[in-house]
Amino acid sequence: MFGYRVPAPNEAMLISGGKSSKGASPFRVVTGHGAFVMPVFRKVRFLTLSMCEAEVTEVCVTKQAIALTVRAVIAFKVGNDTESIVNAGQRFLSDQDQMSVLTGRIFSGHLRSIIGSMTVEEIITERQKLATEVLDGSAVEMAKIGLSVDALQIQSIDDMKLGYIAAMAAPHNAAIQRDAQIAQAVANKKAAEAEQESQRTQAAYVRQTSIVQAQYRAEVEAAQAEASQAGPLAQAKAQQEVIDARTVLAEREAELRQQQLVAEVIKPADAEAERIRILAVADAEKMRVQAEAAASNNRVALDRMLIDQLPLIVKEAGRGLAGANVNILNGADGLGEMAAGLVGQGLSILDSVKRGLGASPAPAPAVSPESNGKAITAKPGEVTQS
């Protein structure tokens, strides 16, 4: 549309012209949207709201009277509020490049002032503190000209080859180098240990591989030897089996022959010996019975002989009384009693003789292999063979 203007997103549109109330802004500020501008009666200018940069290189003297060259970078822009845009527009609208120049000069002054109250050690070790104090010191002045600082970065600090900073850093540098050397030595040691471990591992692997290969070769050679000996071993095994079978057959034949010998020779001999023994026992028993019978007959004969001799014994007893002076009482009764006494005495003698003979019985007949079945019977005073 004719006369309608729209500012860019990073610009502020300043519309001047027309009536304005007393004390009010000399121009109207439009940001973020468009506005209708009457041609001829209104004039439009644009102020950048983009980020700007200013570099500062300043020679500053510290609290120790040591000159330092300080380089810093300032990032700034026009404030977003209307008052900041109006202040910046009134100062830099015709020449917006002057914003960087003026900002650099403002920060150079504050930088010299703050460094003058600090030592070199504080400046080196507390750069953030330096930047913060510079920002705080310049914030009011920057606000008056409509600018706001986003960041301040101290890029470098140089003692202009005086060697102060190098001397101050020497102990730390030496410690760092020492630590670096120690770390390098430790790293070298670990690398050497790792290398040695790797070599040991490789040697162990080579050794294990050699052992496995040797085992494989031994197994292959053993298999080949076994294969080459399979035929002779099988033949020898077959021959051994034949020998074993023949041995078993021979043992069985020997057992059979032994059984035949037992059946044909030993058992008949045992039977014959048993028959002879039984016959001998029977003959002995026969002879014993005959001997006992003979002994019994001899005893009967002895008793008969003693009975036959009894009158003689009584007669001899009576003969002993022939010269004796004997008085017989009771007549015939007394004589009978005396005769009875003599007979009783004879009987007593007979019993004594029989007991004496009974205490020494005749010996049993003896049988020997040389008698051929004949019995020998012994009597007192004689030997009879039958």
Side-chain angles (χ1 to χ4, degrees), residues 198-213:
S198 176
Q199 292 177 359
R200 285 195 296 267
T201 303
Q202 293 178 0
Y205 179 77
V206 171
R207 173 178 172 275
Q208 187 66 27
T209 302
S210 301
I211 292 173
V212 173
Q213 290 177 352

Side-chain angles (χ1 to χ4, degrees), residues 182-194:
I182 293 173
Q184 184 64 38
V186 172
N188 293 337
K189 179 181 177 182
K190 291 183 178 180
E193 291 177 353

Side-chain angles (χ1 to χ4, degrees), residues 92 154 158 160 162 216 267 308 330 384:
F92 307 110
I154 305 297
D158 187 10
M160 295 181 293
L162 293 177
Y216 287 162
K267 287 187 177 180
D308 291 339
N330 298 326
T384 303

Side-chain angles (χ1 to χ4, degrees), residues 68-369:
L68 299 176
T69 299
V70 180
R71 293 180 178 86
V73 177
I74 304 100
F76 67 94
K77 64 181 291 294
V78 178
N80 293 326
D81 59 287
T82 302
E83 182 179 0
S84 298
I85 294 174
V86 171
N87 292 334
Q90 288 178 341
R91 291 170 176 81
F92 307 110
L93 188 59
S94 59
D95 189 2
Q96 298 186 27
D97 293 335
Q98 288 296 318
M99 289 189 291
S100 298
V101 177
L102 182 58
T103 299
R105 291 175 180 175
I106 292 172
F107 273 89
S108 295
H110 287 284
L111 194 60
R112 287 193 302 271
S113 174
I114 294 171
I115 287 178
S117 63
M118 299 176 66
T119 63
V120 178
E121 288 79 7
E122 292 175 345
I123 295 171
I124 296 299
T125 59
E126 299 180 3
R127 291 192 180 188
Q128 187 59 40
K129 177 183 177 181
L130 173 62
T132 301
E133 291 184 0
V134 172
L135 286 174
D136 294 341
S138 62
V140 177
E141 296 180 6
M142 295 292 288
K144 288 181 179 180
I145 60 178
L147 301 179
S148 63
V149 180
D150 290 340
L152 171 64
Q153 182 68 37
I154 305 297
Q155 288 186 328
S156 64
I157 299 173
D158 187 10
D159 61 357
M160 295 181 293
K161 299 182 180 180
L162 293 177
Y164 186 90
I165 297 177
M168 183 179 65
H172 302 287
N173 188 24
I176 291 173
Q177 289 181 358
R178 182 191 65 226
D179 295 341
Q181 291 175 357
I182 293 173
Q184 184 64 38
V186 172
N188 293 337
K189 179 181 177 182
K190 291 183 178 180
E193 291 177 353
E195 180 66 22
Q196 293 175 0
E197 182 66 24
S198 176
Q199 292 177 359
R200 285 195 296 267
T201 303
Q202 293 178 0
Y205 179 77
V206 171
R207 173 178 172 275
Q208 187 66 27
T209 302
S210 301
I211 292 173
V212 173
Q213 290 177 352
Q215 292 177 350
Y216 287 162
R217 286 196 298 269
E219 292 177 359
V220 171
E221 292 175 358
Q224 291 176 352
E226 183 177 357
S228 62
Q229 295 176 359
L233 287 175
Q235 184 177 0
K237 185 176 180 181
Q239 293 177 355
Q240 184 64 37
E241 291 178 353
V242 171
I243 292 172
D244 294 340
R246 289 178 178 177
T247 302
V248 173
L249 180 60
E251 291 177 353
R252 291 182 178 177
E253 289 178 351
E255 291 177 357
L256 181 60
R257 181 57 182 167
Q258 184 179 4
Q259 292 175 1
Q260 290 176 352
L261 290 174
V262 169
E264 295 175 356
V265 177
I266 296 176
K267 287 187 177 180
D270 291 343
E272 181 63 20
E274 183 65 19
R275 186 182 69 79
I276 294 172
R277 187 184 66 81
I278 292 172
L279 292 175
V281 171
D283 290 341
E285 183 65 19
K286 176 181 177 181
M287 296 300 295
R288 186 184 65 81
V289 172
Q290 290 176 356
E292 289 180 355
S296 179
N297 293 330
N298 291 335
R299 185 64 175 269
V300 172
L302 180 59
D303 291 342
R304 184 177 297 279
M305 182 186 69
L306 290 176
I307 293 170
D308 291 339
Q309 295 295 327
L310 181 57
L312 182 59
I313 294 172
V314 174
K315 181 180 180 181
E316 291 296 328
R319 186 180 299 175
L321 294 176
N325 187 12
V326 181
N327 295 322
I328 299 173
L329 301 179
N330 298 326
D333 293 332
L335 183 60
E337 289 177 3
M338 181 178 291
L342 291 173
V343 174
Q345 186 177 1
L347 291 176
S348 296
I349 294 171
L350 180 61
D351 290 334
S352 298
V353 173
K354 290 176 64 178
R355 282 194 301 268
L357 294 175
S360 298
V367 180
S368 63

